[in-house]
Amino acid sequence: MNKIILLKNRPHGKPTLDDFKIITEEMPAPKDNEVLLKTVYVSVDPYLRGRMNAVKSYIPAFELNKPIQSGIIAEVIESKHADFKKGDFVSNNLAWKEYQISDGKNLIKVNKADAKLSSYLGILGMTGLTAYLGLMEIGLPKNGETLVVSGAGGAVGTVVGQIGKLHGCRVVGLTGSDEKVSLLTSKFNFDHAINYKTAKNLKDAIKTACPNGVDIYFDNVGGEISDAVLANINKYARLPVCGAISLYNETEIQLGPRLQPIILTKSATMRGFIIGDLKEKFPAAIKQLSAWLKDDKITFSETLVKGFDNIPQAFIDLFDGKNKGKMIVEI
């Protein structure tokens, strides 16, 4: 039998296990020009929370009682398609199913001899692309500047900080535990890290850590954390907005400082971005990330959870900061 995870309910606030449903179906069989895929690794990401709401966005909402989808590494275990053979590993946005049929469209072959298979969901996948292109295209890092990264202990944040260091920036990370503070400075080469949960006054803590102000703010979280950073930005600051995880589970609109006076008086540039809009730049970005990885100039961290049934809990755990780097479920 084949297990599938469906979206049972649209979450109200933080998702719970009751919002998901695991069902079984008969094992699928490929027809001509199709392949049978076995899921190997599943990426769980904060942006999936937005797709669980019935609202119009840049990507369609998940349908109730239909499979959830995310980035997946799968193995071809049977092929009736000329472009794929048994034993190939592929990557794509696929359904949360143990086994599934594909017509081969948009499947990307990945080579486990070149890198760990799971890395194609992280440093060499959307995580790395988001970090690299968000920082390089919008942040425009320059030697001697100060870069602040929120959600710095997460998958994207750890990569952003390392790329900033490679471009000569002073890098300060904001994260939610003392353990992650230590990891950022010891493993990921951040100059300084702040535990926003224990800082008595986050605005002042950022000011102390960034004596020359903030030139680039890579925003993964939004909310009060971002308010504290914005109070410290320099003139002509650049602010790539990657995510707003602190707000995804809010059931009421949160009010904060009005941004316009800050953006205006600092002549700052604040730009949200969806990584899919930059897909023409993917090949060059992957080439650069691969080179840095091969030369040990960047590293990455993964939190591996094992078991298909544990995918929903792994996703929920993201909102409690239980991941160190990329959260991936190994099947």
Side-chain angles (χ1 to χ4, degrees):
M1 299 296 288
N2 184 30
K3 289 184 179 180
I4 303 169
I5 299 177
L6 311 179
L7 180 64
K8 180 182 176 182
N9 305 304
R10 298 203 182 280
H12 182 73
K14 181 183 172 182
T16 70
L17 290 177
D18 290 337
D19 295 321
F20 304 88
K21 183 178 181 180
I22 299 178
I23 64 169
T24 58
E25 67 175 11
E26 294 294 328
M27 184 70 68
K31 299 176 182 178
D32 288 344
N33 298 313
E34 291 182 338
V35 294
L36 175 60
L37 302 176
K38 178 183 179 181
T39 298
V40 179
Y41 292 104
V42 177
S43 173
V44 290
D45 306 281
Y47 83 90
L48 298 173
R49 176 62 183 85
R51 295 192 67 187
M52 294 176 182
N53 297 329
V55 296
K56 186 176 181 180
S57 186
Y58 65 91
I59 190 169
F62 292 128
E63 295 182 50
L64 288 176
N65 298 309
K66 295 288 181 69
I68 297 170
Q69 298 175 336
S70 69
I72 284 177
I73 301 294
E75 181 180 2
V76 176
I77 61 170
E78 186 178 348
S79 178
K80 294 186 177 180
H81 194 295
D83 294 337
F84 301 92
K85 66 180 184 298
K86 182 178 179 179
D88 284 344
F89 288 94
V90 297
S91 175
N92 194 14
N93 197 55
L94 297 168
W96 285 4
K97 298 183 177 184
E98 286 185 302
Y99 297 88
Q100 57 196 294
I101 299 296
S102 171
D103 61 6
K105 292 181 180 177
N106 299 317
L107 291 182
I108 301 170
K109 291 183 182 181
V110 295
N111 190 344
K112 66 177 181 179
D114 294 337
K116 285 177 56 178
L117 284 175
S118 58
S119 68
Y120 293 101
L121 293 177
I123 189 72
L124 298 180
M126 286 300 164
T127 296
L129 290 168
T130 299
Y132 180 85
L133 292 172
L135 182 61
M136 299 306 297
E137 296 292 318
I138 304 170
L140 305 173
K142 301 179 182 66
N143 185 57
E145 291 189 323
T146 297
L147 162 66
V148 172
V149 185
S150 59
V156 171
T158 55
V159 181
V160 171
Q162 292 176 86
I163 296 172
K165 287 296 294 181
L166 288 171
H167 286 80
C169 293
R170 172 178 170 77
V171 180
V172 175
L174 307 177
T175 191
S177 74
D178 289 341
E179 182 182 8
K180 289 183 178 180
V181 164
S182 178
L183 273 175
L184 289 175
T185 55
S186 63
K187 180 175 181 177
F188 298 110
N189 202 29
F190 281 59
D191 293 287
H192 190 78
I194 299 169
N195 183 343
Y196 66 84
K197 291 182 179 179
T198 58
K200 292 183 179 179
N201 184 312
L202 185 56
K203 182 173 71 172
D204 289 348
I206 294 169
K207 184 177 181 180
T208 300
C210 307
N212 296 320
V214 178
D215 300 296
I216 309 165
Y217 173 43
F218 197 104
D219 189 1
N220 285 302
V221 304
E224 294 180 356
I225 294 171
S226 293
D227 293 342
V229 181
L230 284 166
N232 287 281
I233 63 172
N234 289 330
K235 193 166 186 178
Y236 307 121
R238 289 85 66 199
L239 294 80
V241 179
C242 176
I245 192 172
S246 71
L247 305 175
Y248 289 161
N249 295 319
E250 295 291 343
T251 57
E252 297 179 358
I253 296 176
Q254 302 295 307
L255 296 180
R258 305 298 182 182
L259 298 181
Q260 290 87 343
I262 300 172
I263 301 300
L264 174 65
T265 57
K266 296 296 185 179
S267 300
T269 300
M270 187 176 193
R271 176 183 161 189
F273 70 100
I274 305 302
I275 192 60
D277 295 339
L278 300 170
K279 59 185 177 182
E280 74 281 356
K281 299 181 183 293
F282 285 5
I286 292 174
K287 182 178 180 181
Q288 179 63 81
L289 289 164
S290 298
W292 281 334
L293 193 61
K294 183 179 179 180
D295 294 339
D296 293 326
K297 291 184 176 180
I298 56 174
T299 188
F300 63 97
S301 183
E302 296 175 336
T303 298
L304 278 180
V305 175
K306 294 191 176 183
F308 183 84
D309 293 3
N310 293 321
I311 295 173
Q313 186 62 59
F315 169 69
I316 293 168
D317 286 346
L318 289 171
F319 299 98
D320 292 323
K322 293 184 179 180
N323 60 306
K324 298 181 184 69
K326 181 68 177 174
M327 180 77 91
I328 294 175
V329 181
E330 182 179 9
I331 310 304

